[in-house]
């Protein structure tokens, strides 16, 4: 079981992701925007951060940059979810320090598999 921080501003999608990951046995902490995500990440330790690219307050890219500036080693397991799936967008988040990228829309099964792959890498 892993402890996962999910930063997603769309409530319905957030609920779907939480249900999917909790069904896999993981503990999920929810953040509704980028600022909340940064605050949670600084207060608690997580095995994985799942961050939406487009969010209010701080974008996913800004979340990654802020966390990496604080501690680049602590925040290495980051998966970015985005409807912006062009190579330039993917490159931006990878260059900022995200380890993984997944395009929206995605199936819950594909997300669960991706999360397991990421967690098993470490």
């Amino acid at each position: 079981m892993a402890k996962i921080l999910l930063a997603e501003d769309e409530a319905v999608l957030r609920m779907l992701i939480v249900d999917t990951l909790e069904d896999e046995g993981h503990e999920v902490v929810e953040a509704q925007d980028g600022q909340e995500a940064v605050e949670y990440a600084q207060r608690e330790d997580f095995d994985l951060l799942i961050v939406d690219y487009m969010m209010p307050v701080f974008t996913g890219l800004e979340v990654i940059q802020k966390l990496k500036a604080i501690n680049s080693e602590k925040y290495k397991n980051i998966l970015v979810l985005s409807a912006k799936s062009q190579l330039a967008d993917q490159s931006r988040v990878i260059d900022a320090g995200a380890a993984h990228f997944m395009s929206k829309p995605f199936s819950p099964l594909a997300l669960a598999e991706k999360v397991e792959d990421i967690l098993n890498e470490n």
Side-chain angles (χ1 to χ4, degrees):
M1 178 177 99
K3 186 172 181 181
I4 300 170
L5 174 62
L6 170 64
E8 170 61 59
D9 61 314
E10 294 181 39
V12 173
L13 183 54
R14 193 171 59 246
M15 183 177 63
L16 173 67
I17 294 169
V18 168
D19 288 348
T20 299
L21 297 176
E22 286 180 345
D23 285 350
E24 295 293 316
H26 302 298
E27 176 186 349
V28 182
V29 175
E30 301 174 55
Q32 298 179 37
D33 61 46
Q35 182 175 352
E36 234 180 44
V38 170
E39 290 168 2
Y40 284 138
Q42 289 178 300
R43 282 197 308 254
E44 299 179 45
D45 289 330
F46 295 95
D47 300 300
L48 173 64
L49 279 63
I50 301 176
V51 181
D52 182 24
Y53 190 95
M54 302 295 290
M55 288 186 295
V57 188
F58 301 144
T59 67
L61 189 61
E62 291 169 324
V63 169
I64 295 165
Q65 291 167 336
K66 288 178 183 305
L67 293 176
K68 289 290 188 173
I70 294 166
N71 185 335
S72 62
E73 277 304 304
K74 180 178 179 182
Y75 305 110
K76 60 184 179 184
N77 261 356
I78 302 172
L79 167 62
V80 174
L81 306 176
S82 181
K84 296 179 72 160
S85 58
Q86 303 227 349
L87 283 176
D89 299 311
Q90 293 180 31
S91 294
R92 270 195 234 28
V93 297
I94 298 301
D95 290 347
H100 306 275
F101 184 93
M102 189 168 194
S103 298
K104 291 179 181 180
F106 51 82
S107 75
L109 177 60
L111 177 64
E113 289 174 354
K114 181 78 170 175
V115 166
E116 292 308 314
D117 288 347
I118 294 168
L119 294 172
N120 288 330
E121 285 177 359
N122 300 314

